[in-house]
Amino acid sequence: MSALLEVEDVSRVYRTGGLFAARRVTAVDGVSLQLEAGRPEILTVVGESGSGKTTLARMILGMVPPSTGAIRFKGKDLADIRGSRARLAFMKEVQPVFQNPFEAFNPMKRLDRYLFATARRMAGVEGEAAIRDAADGALKEVGLSLAEVRGRYPHELSGGQLQRVAIARALISKPALLVADEPVSMIDASLRASIVNLLRGLRERRGVSIIYITHDLATAYYVSDRILIMRHGKVVESGEARAVLDDPQHPYSQLLKSSVLSPEVPPTGAAFHA
């Protein structure tokens, strides 16, 4: 089976400090992972703040290049994606969902404008009626509709609703991969289950693979097919999610489980059903 995404021994090093006090900080250190084409799954990257998980997500999205190693999407090295046309083709297939939905949208711009522009530019939809249908179809997949969103500004929606709009926007171009960076951390706890369940549903209905970045081991336990646990830029443990989280081998993984997953958390993730 061919690979959808290959991350091969990537590292990212930043230089900080002034001219005479410069130092190197390794945000990601030798990380490898792979997603197979035709086998949609949710791969969760878990780690506390500073573990390197967001830097890894930014590299997969092509926002920053790796210092060493290679990232390939459908066999093409991201380093070779140059020019606006090639970049647009990549973005159609690999879409982000960011942590704070209120920062993802200009507060002075109506939300439907974003959806319509994405349908035109990213999906190549032509004609006003077809563009409206594309936006409405994507919104309905996340439990909303164009009638509910049209003409409204970001501040007029709740955080959960706005994150759903962000996910709908990402779906318009029919991507093969979503990279969701802490998509529930800025949302009220009572609404997190709906977003987590939505991601699971998209994998099943759409056949889209998802890289789910989180510090929340409880949602990771529920949503993941596979899991990588990161600490100080390195992967300390990885594998099938239930196996890793039920019986962690690395001391750091064991510490995470003991501090986050209580015995009351049901193994089926039933606590997260909305």
Side-chain angles (χ1 to χ4, degrees):
M1 188 176 290
S2 61
L4 177 69
L5 176 73
E6 299 168 279
V7 176
E8 186 176 290
D9 197 25
V10 297
S11 298
R12 176 67 193 186
V13 178
Y14 292 98
R15 287 179 171 81
T16 63
L19 180 63
F20 299 106
R23 65 188 186 95
R24 290 161 56 92
V25 175
T26 302
V28 174
D29 189 358
V31 171
S32 296
L33 63 89
Q34 184 164 307
L35 296 173
E36 301 296 341
R39 184 181 162 188
E41 64 175 320
I42 298 177
L43 173 64
T44 296
V45 182
V46 176
E48 61 192 355
S49 179
S51 65
K53 60 189 188 298
T54 291
T55 299
L56 177 62
R58 288 169 61 83
M59 288 193 289
I60 292 169
L61 288 165
M63 298 172 69
V64 295
S67 301
T68 59
I71 300 175
R72 290 181 290 274
F73 179 75
K74 292 188 173 179
K76 187 173 183 63
D77 197 315
L78 267 58
D80 296 330
I81 297 177
R82 300 187 181 93
S84 58
R85 183 173 297 179
R87 178 67 184 166
L88 183 62
F90 172 74
M91 290 172 63
K92 285 181 180 179
E93 295 214 76
V94 182
Q95 279 285 306
V97 178
F98 294 115
Q99 178 178 16
N100 189 344
F102 290 98
E103 292 181 354
F105 298 100
N106 183 331
M108 304 303 292
K109 186 174 179 179
R110 296 198 309 269
L111 292 166
D112 54 6
R113 299 294 101 186
Y114 281 99
L115 298 169
F116 297 159
T118 300
R120 287 191 194 94
R121 182 168 179 263
M122 300 294 294
V125 181
E126 298 180 354
E128 293 303 313
I131 288 169
R132 287 194 301 270
D133 287 346
D136 191 43
L139 286 166
K140 285 178 178 175
E141 284 203 66
V142 301
L144 295 171
S145 69
L146 185 57
E148 294 173 89
V149 170
R150 194 164 192 178
R152 301 180 75 178
Y153 292 89
H155 71 273
E156 296 181 276
L157 273 65
S158 70
Q161 288 175 314
L162 198 58
Q163 192 64 290
R164 286 176 178 271
V165 174
I167 295 170
R169 183 188 182 194
L171 293 176
I172 287 175
S173 64
K174 296 180 171 59
L177 176 64
L178 291 179
V179 181
D181 186 6
E182 297 274 14
V184 300
S185 66
M186 302 295 289
I187 296 172
D188 186 271
S190 64
L191 300 174
R192 290 176 187 171
S194 63
I195 300 298
V196 171
N197 281 323
L198 172 59
L199 295 177
R200 280 170 49 116
L202 291 174
R203 177 202 58 194
E204 294 162 6
R205 295 191 309 272
R206 277 265 190 156
V208 60
S209 287
I210 300 168
I211 295 179
Y212 176 59
I213 309 290
T214 187
H215 67 277
D216 184 351
L217 210 61
T219 58
Y221 191 95
Y222 173 52
V223 78
S224 312
D225 296 302
R226 287 190 295 138
I227 194 166
L228 278 75
I229 298 178
M230 291 186 67
R231 189 186 189 202
H232 301 325
K234 293 179 178 288
V235 174
V236 298
E237 192 160 358
S238 65
E240 192 273 328
R242 289 290 186 270
V244 170
L245 295 176
D246 284 342
D247 186 24
Q249 300 300 303
H250 192 277
Y252 178 67
S253 306
Q254 293 168 355
L255 178 64
L256 280 181
K257 180 178 179 179
S258 66
S259 62
V260 177
L261 286 180
S262 72
E264 287 74 30
V265 175
T268 60
F272 293 96
H273 284 297

